[in-house]
């Protein structure tokens, strides 16, 4: 019986069976059996199509990719961890296919009720990988658009930021003392300024057993062991038309 826990394992087994049958069919028709490389490539493609982001998944798997920007099926670019931008091939045949792809992600990958259509044109969700996806549907955008923020630095401390040259040692010591003193700290900045990474580094200064509650539109902080053992992570749920009746 398929359950959320064994769903992907069953999927891999089904894909393996399909590829076995396809390889045998090739032999019966006089063609060569699938090589291990061909089989591995097809296995990844089919699995990504059914259980991941399809043609976008290889970009998510690339550790050098920081953000993925899709402004229509044929306008795709990624921002890399070194700050460079690279333009890539289309991820779908056309904009309608891109919309269908995003709708499939809502049904298969979303943690809660998610819709993506002209009536619900703004989508925000956390992917199984923990990365954040935002998408916009016409008419609020001229073309279907997707942005995926890939969180590459999850277990990071203020000392790590010092080593990376992003923070002085005096600033790190001051911020550590401020966290220990339970002072309020406001973190602000423009998109891609590193706010989420910086908040993670601040949170790393908490006592590991300190009770922590995070409230986010989409889960991005992903605080947990070994740095945090007592975390309640809350995420906003899209409204479903409910209203209070008084």
């Amino acid at each position: 019986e398929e359950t959320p826990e064994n769903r992907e394992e069953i999927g891999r087994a089904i894909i393996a069976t399909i590829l076995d049958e396809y390889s045998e069919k090739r032999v019966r028709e006089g063609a060569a059996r699938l090589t291990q490389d061909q089989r591995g490539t097809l296995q990844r493609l089919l699995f990504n199509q059914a259980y991941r982001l399809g043609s976008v998944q290889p970009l998510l798997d690339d550790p050098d990719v920081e953000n993925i920007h899709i402004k229509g099926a044929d306008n795709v670019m990624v921002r890399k961890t070194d700050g460079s931008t690279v333009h890539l091939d289309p991820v779908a045949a056309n904009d309608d296919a891109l919309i269908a792809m995003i709708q499939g992600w809502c049904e298969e990958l979303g943690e809660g009720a998610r819709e993506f259509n002209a009536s619900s044109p703004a989508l925000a969700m956390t992917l199984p990988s923990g990365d954040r996806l935002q998408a916009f549907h016409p008419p609020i955008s001229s073309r279907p658009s997707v942005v995926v923020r890939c969180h590459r630095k999850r277990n990071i401390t203020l000392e790590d930021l010092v080593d990376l040259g992003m923070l002085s040692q005096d600033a790190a010591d001051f911020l550590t003392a401020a966290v220990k003193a339970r002072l309020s700290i406001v973190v602000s900045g423009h998109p891609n300024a590193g706010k989420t990474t910086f908040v993670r580094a601040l949170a790393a200064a908490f006592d590991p057993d300190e009770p922590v509650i995070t409230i986010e539109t989409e889960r991005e902080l992903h605080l947990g062991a070994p740095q945090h053992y007592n975390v309640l992570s809350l995420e906003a749920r899209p409204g479903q038309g409910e209203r209070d009746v008084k």
Side-chain angles (χ1 to χ4, degrees), residues 143 171 176:
R143 303 182 69 185
T176 299

Side-chain angles (χ1 to χ4, degrees), residues 125-185:
M125 59 186 274
T126 301
L127 300 172
S129 60
D131 301 304
R132 177 184 178 184
L133 180 147
Q134 290 184 305
F136 299 97
H137 189 295
I140 67 168
S141 62
S142 59
R143 303 182 69 185
S145 301
V146 181
V147 177
V148 181
R149 293 188 59 193
C150 309
H151 299 296
R152 302 304 184 191
K153 296 183 177 68
R154 298 196 179 181
N155 295 321
I156 194 163
T157 67
L158 292 171
E159 290 300 323
D160 291 332
L161 297 184
V162 173
D163 292 339
L164 291 169
M166 301 171 64
L167 203 64
S168 70
Q169 186 63 58
D170 287 345
D173 293 342
F174 172 79
L175 289 168
T176 299
V179 170
K180 300 293 186 185
R182 299 175 180 269
L183 299 181
S184 297
I185 301 173

Side-chain angles (χ1 to χ4, degrees), residues 25 31 48-49 76 112-113 120 138 144 168-169 174 184 198 208 211 215 222 225 235:
K25 181 174 181 291
N48 286 343
Q49 195 65 42
V76 183
S120 300
S168 70
Q169 186 63 58
F174 172 79
S184 297
F198 186 58
I215 305 173
H222 303 293
E235 182 181 57

Side-chain angles (χ1 to χ4, degrees), residues 42-145:
L42 288 171
Q43 179 107 15
R44 285 191 298 274
L45 287 173
L46 292 172
F47 184 82
N48 286 343
Q49 195 65 42
Y51 298 98
R52 292 292 187 267
L53 299 189
S55 58
V56 178
Q57 187 62 39
L59 305 180
L60 197 64
D61 293 338
D62 186 342
D64 293 328
V65 171
E66 186 173 67
N67 290 327
I68 303 167
H69 299 269
I70 304 171
K71 311 293 184 181
D74 57 352
N75 186 1
V76 183
M77 61 183 179
V78 297
R79 186 174 186 272
K80 305 199 121 186
T81 52
D82 63 4
S84 63
T85 299
V86 180
H87 293 264
L88 301 172
D89 293 334
V91 294
N94 50 50
D95 284 1
D96 287 341
L98 175 60
I99 289 173
M101 185 187 303
I102 300 168
Q103 290 170 337
W105 300 342
C106 292
E107 295 173 6
E108 298 294 332
L109 306 178
E111 293 185 343
R114 296 287 191 274
E115 292 185 358
F116 186 67
N117 49 47
S119 299
S120 300
L123 170 68
M125 59 186 274
T126 301
L127 300 172
S129 60
D131 301 304
R132 177 184 178 184
L133 180 147
Q134 290 184 305
F136 299 97
H137 189 295
I140 67 168
S141 62
S142 59
R143 303 182 69 185
S145 301

Side-chain angles (χ1 to χ4, degrees), residues 15-33:
I15 292 171
T17 300
I18 291 172
L19 292 178
D20 285 341
E21 294 173 353
Y22 174 63
S23 188
E24 291 302 321
K25 181 174 181 291
R26 284 171 56 93
V27 172
R28 290 196 300 271
E29 294 176 349
R33 192 183 302 273

